[in-house]
Amino acid sequence: MASEAPTLHHQHVRLYDQVRSVHLERAHELDPAAIVYRVKRYDFDPELASGIELAQAGNLAAARMALRSRITRVEVDEPLYLDSLPRTAAVLAALGLKRLFGAPRAEVATYAIENLDPFAARPPRFRSRLRRAVERILSAYVWHRLDTVVYGTPGARDLYGETFVRRPRRQLTVEALPSPCRCDAERTVQRDPDGVVFLGAFSPRKGFGDVLAAWPAIRSRRPHATLTLIGSGGMLDEAQAAADADPSIRLLVDPPRDVIHTELLRAHVLALPSRRVGDWREQIGLPLVEALAHGCEVVTTSETGIAEFLIDAGHIVLPGDADAARIADGVDAALARHRTAADIRSALPAVDGRIAAGRALFEEQVPA
């Protein structure tokens, strides 16, 4: 982690706890800004960082960076994302301190997709309760400092409305739906009518084990079905064992982005039956968004914040506690559908929802 606090060149800053490839892809489509982050995610692609001002900094270094730089606009992680609260609060406090010495007030905005109240459960231990109390104070401070909130899902809008009394000056909802991916205009990939893909972290909360458990039942009904596992995670050994034991299962561990695009163009169905685990709930699910952008049928659960859209658009949305048998039924039903990729993408907006939201954070007009 960087120990120095350089002066940022851009006056517009995006303050992220974690940075990943999708942030870099979006940055190329948004107004130029410096990205200040704490850690890189496993899927960070350095080739996408070309032309973007990136600075890695912890809590104190980020605050020092804010003191030394001229910042007029800052996009922060949402107030109910607890891991980033100390860093966000430190930067906002530094900007507030600068105002005492005549600096202009920086405009602060956030994009919110949280759909599960992190303060609802009472931690069992005193230290945990004390930490949660501090987090509640920091969360309220960050919320109070916001000028604009753009909600990515109706569930997030409802949650924040129930959690905080004060309303920021500007609030709007831009649903986190993708636009059709443009990659298929430059390549020809044959769609596999029996192809199923799992994309994401190999973990229980993503329903990875349930997909593996459902696969024999799917194969019994569809002997030509294939399953491609794309990602990594704590259940990588199980993924490797499944691929070694079953020739219909293929494993791709953290492949490059162009490979992921190709596999999604080839697949007929994406299966991501997310589970609610502890204080975690699927906010949206980047694999769901990417699958839609490439025209895949989707099989997921009601845990995602875009569940209502998926239902209206004809995808398979299972209960959050669906077992392997229900998942097998859902995948089988999705494979039986004969919609083309173009049919599926026709329900998507012309502009990616996250790009539209990013443009709206510091604009006075609601995006069309």
Side-chain angles (χ1 to χ4, degrees), residues 286-343:
L286 181 59
L288 301 180
V289 170
E290 295 195 319
L292 290 172
H294 290 85
C296 296
E297 297 283 358
V298 165
V299 177
T300 188
T301 68
S302 56
E303 292 303 306
T304 173
I306 60 170
E308 291 184 12
F309 166 81
L310 291 173
I311 293 170
D312 292 342
H315 296 277
I316 305 293
V317 178
L318 305 170
D321 61 352
D323 59 13
R326 291 287 298 273
I327 293 169
D329 290 342
V331 172
D332 182 59
L335 287 170
R337 295 180 174 176
H338 299 294
R339 295 191 294 183
T340 66
D343 291 335

Side-chain angles (χ1 to χ4, degrees), residues 40-367:
K40 296 176 182 177
R41 284 287 296 270
Y42 70 91
D43 61 350
F44 180 92
D45 185 349
E47 292 186 4
L48 295 173
S50 176
I52 301 173
E53 183 179 7
L54 289 169
Q56 186 174 17
N59 298 352
L60 295 180
R64 290 196 301 269
M65 199 176 294
L67 288 172
R68 296 180 58 178
S69 306
R70 177 175 171 80
I71 298 175
T72 58
R73 292 177 169 181
V74 57
E75 177 188 342
V76 300
D77 285 325
E78 59 182 307
L80 292 181
Y81 179 35
L82 304 186
D83 289 347
S84 69
L85 280 176
R87 191 158 159 275
T88 302
V91 168
L92 295 183
L95 294 175
L97 180 63
K98 288 175 65 175
R99 287 195 67 203
L100 298 177
F101 297 93
R105 183 183 184 278
E107 191 174 357
V108 184
T110 195
Y111 175 72
I113 55 175
E114 182 58 71
N115 56 6
L116 185 64
D117 184 358
F119 302 120
R122 178 181 171 83
R125 297 182 179 180
F126 173 77
R127 279 178 102 177
S128 298
R129 291 198 297 271
L130 180 61
R131 177 179 177 179
R132 192 53 49 90
V134 172
E135 289 170 338
R136 188 184 290 272
I137 293 171
L138 294 178
S139 181
Y141 168 68
V142 172
W143 176 260
H144 183 78
R145 185 62 181 80
L146 292 173
D147 299 291
T148 299
V149 181
V150 178
Y151 301 106
T153 66
R157 180 190 59 214
D158 295 343
L159 174 60
Y160 277 91
E162 296 165 1
T163 304
F164 300 103
V165 176
R166 174 190 170 273
R167 296 291 176 265
R169 179 173 60 87
R170 293 178 64 234
Q171 292 189 107
L172 55 150
T173 301
V174 180
E175 196 160 11
L177 301 175
S179 59
C181 187
R182 296 186 294 269
C183 66
D184 63 339
E186 302 175 2
R187 69 181 83 185
T188 301
V189 178
Q190 185 69 36
R191 190 177 191 182
D192 179 1
D194 293 308
V196 180
V197 64
F198 176 98
L199 171 63
F202 300 155
S203 67
R205 69 185 190 179
K206 295 292 186 177
F208 179 71
D210 302 293
V211 172
L212 292 183
W215 189 243
I218 297 168
R219 282 276 290 172
S220 69
R221 304 177 203 180
R222 297 184 176 272
H224 299 294
T226 60
L227 174 62
T228 302
L229 308 175
I230 307 174
S232 187
M235 298 181 70
L236 179 57
D237 288 345
E238 287 87 339
Q240 187 64 65
D244 291 342
D246 187 341
S248 71
I249 299 177
R250 192 162 54 111
L251 174 62
L252 300 176
V253 180
D254 289 341
R257 293 287 295 166
D258 62 329
V259 173
I260 294 175
H261 282 254
T262 298
E263 293 300 328
L264 289 174
L265 288 171
R266 180 178 291 120
H268 186 174
V269 172
L270 174 124
L272 191 82
S274 302
R275 310 293 195 185
R276 193 177 304 197
V277 178
D279 60 355
W280 181 89
R281 182 183 182 186
E282 187 76 82
Q283 296 171 334
I284 295 171
L286 181 59
L288 301 180
V289 170
E290 295 195 319
L292 290 172
H294 290 85
C296 296
E297 297 283 358
V298 165
V299 177
T300 188
T301 68
S302 56
E303 292 303 306
T304 173
I306 60 170
E308 291 184 12
F309 166 81
L310 291 173
I311 293 170
D312 292 342
H315 296 277
I316 305 293
V317 178
L318 305 170
D321 61 352
D323 59 13
R326 291 287 298 273
I327 293 169
D329 290 342
V331 172
D332 182 59
L335 287 170
R337 295 180 174 176
H338 299 294
R339 295 191 294 183
T340 66
D343 291 335
I344 293 170
R345 291 194 296 256
S346 67
L348 302 178
V351 178
D352 181 272
R354 187 61 183 91
I355 297 298
R359 292 170 178 167
L361 285 171
F362 298 101
E363 296 177 359
E364 295 299 329
Q365 290 81 27
V366 177

Side-chain angles (χ1 to χ4, degrees), residues 1-23:
M1 185 171 296
S3 58
E4 298 181 359
T7 300
L8 298 172
H9 299 294
H10 285 94
Q11 297 180 19
H12 183 169
V13 174
R14 298 187 179 103
L15 183 67
Y16 297 150
D17 180 64
Q18 303 178 21
V19 66
R20 58 193 306 176
S21 291
V22 69
H23 293 135

